[in-house]
Amino acid sequence: MNATFGATSTADDVLAGTDLKGKRFLVTGASSGIGLETVRSLVSHGAAVVGTARNRTMAERVTAPVHEAATRPGGALEWIELDLGSLQNVRDCATRLLNSGQRFDAIIANAGVMATPFGRTVDGFEIQFGINHIGHYALVNQIDSLLADEGRLVVLSSQAHRVSDVSLEDPNFEQQTYDPFIAYGRSKTANALFAVEFDQRHRDRGIRAMSVMPGNSLTRLARHFSQEQLQGLFETVGKARAEANLPPAELKNIAQAAATSVWAAAVAHKDEVGGRYLENCAVAPINDTPNPFADGVMSYALNVDRARQLWTKSEALINAAA
């Protein structure tokens, strides 16, 4: 595996010298932040990308520079509306994609929300669990036939998965007091477990799935934090890492935060990263130290039995909401 990439590599560094002409990608949450940079880098290296956004008109307006980048090497970008917080909208989006019949070499499940105030989606799911996990689970499983043989599914997780395992007994906080960061952590563990089980179920087609920790960066994902809350979080992280004799955490810029996604989707050897959790353009080591701000992946986020149980639970929840 190429060892020349790391925490400071950018998406363009990772794709340097890679010609993606003829390759097709689906990227959710592509109109801002890491998703936008992921799309820009892919199309500027010749890929055809379908980006999802809740508001297609707004997405087309704010991503004009990406269209300009796409015209130079022959890449292309088109948009499709998707609201992961609505199963009906997910079904509508899936139908449009299926009707087009065009296949994808990789799907990058990038969209998400973080630490939101308590609320429920239109289908009754806790917002973070519903959008970050259930929405992607429903979409990907409805269009899995469009993922080409030997293709890849990249699901964005987070270091925050270290905060909590999923709760199969109370995924929607119906019995527990809601905590926005625990809810976020659970949803990010769910993302990793979804990749684990998808990988198990589709290996016979040569398809591999993996989860990605993009790295901490300042994007609109943190919009539910006040400046004081963000500062307090940075101080908590710094203290926790210092107490564990870990180096200070460093924020990535958005180009660096998009690197592991494109590395996983287009560069890494798929059979070396399939079923794994990736960070800094590498397979992350398992680290069960009870420190939510340590590096590496908690073993519960890669547990194949837990992944299968979450898959079954998610299917039942969606069927009940139908």
Side-chain angles (χ1 to χ4, degrees):
M1 190 179 296
N2 194 321
T4 61
F5 306 124
T8 61
S9 299
T10 67
D12 283 344
D13 291 337
V14 168
L15 293 179
T18 300
D19 185 357
L20 295 177
K21 290 178 183 176
K23 299 291 185 179
R24 197 162 180 268
F25 298 81
L26 174 67
V27 182
T28 68
S31 62
S32 65
I34 295 172
L36 177 59
E37 176 60 14
T38 298
V39 167
R40 186 208 60 77
S41 187
L42 289 171
V43 300
S44 67
H45 288 83
V49 178
V50 176
T52 80
R54 281 176 292 180
N55 187 317
R56 177 177 176 175
T57 301
M58 183 178 296
E60 290 175 340
R61 184 168 62 249
V62 302
T63 57
V66 181
H67 286 282
E68 294 171 9
T71 60
R72 291 196 294 272
L77 172 63
E78 60 181 287
W79 290 98
I80 188 168
E81 289 191 0
L82 171 65
D83 179 358
L84 289 165
S86 164
L87 290 177
Q88 182 59 57
N89 188 276
V90 169
R91 285 189 287 270
D92 292 344
C93 178
T95 297
R96 291 194 296 273
L97 291 170
L98 289 167
N99 287 342
S100 77
Q102 293 183 286
R103 294 209 163 191
F104 297 105
D105 294 281
I107 297 172
I108 303 177
N110 167 86
V113 293
M114 180 175 75
T116 60
F118 180 74
R120 299 198 184 278
T121 67
V122 295
D123 302 291
F125 302 114
E126 183 275 313
I127 285 177
Q128 297 184 81
F129 181 70
I131 291 176
N132 296 350
H133 170 61
I134 290 291
H136 278 124
Y137 174 95
L139 175 69
V140 173
N141 281 317
Q142 287 175 65
I143 63 169
D144 59 7
S145 62
L146 296 180
L147 192 55
D149 292 352
E150 308 299 324
R152 308 181 188 203
L153 170 65
V154 179
V155 187
L156 267 68
S157 182
S158 169
Q159 183 183 50
H161 85 276
R162 301 184 61 87
V163 172
S164 178
D165 192 0
V166 293
S167 171
L168 299 176
E169 296 74 29
D170 188 24
N172 294 306
F173 285 87
E174 295 168 324
Q175 303 164 25
Q176 308 159 69
T177 301
Y178 178 74
D179 181 294
F181 209 67
I182 289 176
Y184 181 60
R186 289 180 178 179
S187 73
K188 294 290 102 178
T189 297
N191 289 148
L193 291 172
F194 173 45
V196 168
E197 182 63 10
F198 192 90
D199 184 75
Q200 293 283 332
R201 288 172 178 250
H202 294 273
R203 287 187 188 184
D204 59 343
R205 291 176 52 203
I207 293 170
R208 303 307 304 266
M210 64 287 308
S211 57
V212 163
M213 155 57 173
N216 296 312
S217 60
L218 290 177
T219 69
R220 292 189 66 250
L221 188 66
R223 62 187 176 275
H224 295 290
F225 286 92
S226 67
Q227 191 60 45
E228 293 75 16
Q229 288 172 322
L230 269 179
Q231 185 59 41
L233 178 60
F234 293 152
E235 291 173 358
T236 299
V237 171
K239 181 179 179 181
R241 288 183 67 87
E243 290 175 349
N245 295 316
L246 295 170
E250 293 188 12
L251 285 175
K252 292 185 177 185
N253 61 43
I254 293 177
Q256 293 169 334
T260 305
S261 293
V262 298
W263 179 75
V267 176
H269 191 296
K270 67 183 180 68
D271 292 328
E272 294 183 22
V273 297
R276 307 293 190 89
Y277 172 99
L278 315 176
E279 61 184 2
N280 297 329
C281 300
V283 174
I286 291 176
N287 179 2
D288 283 328
T289 303
N291 182 336
F293 306 112
D295 302 316
V297 58
M298 300 291 278
S299 58
Y300 58 64
L302 297 176
N303 185 290
V304 292
D305 292 330
R306 196 73 167 163
R308 190 178 308 112
Q309 292 165 4
L310 176 63
W311 186 285
T312 301
K313 181 70 172 182
S314 301
E315 185 175 41
L317 288 168
I318 289 172
N319 289 339

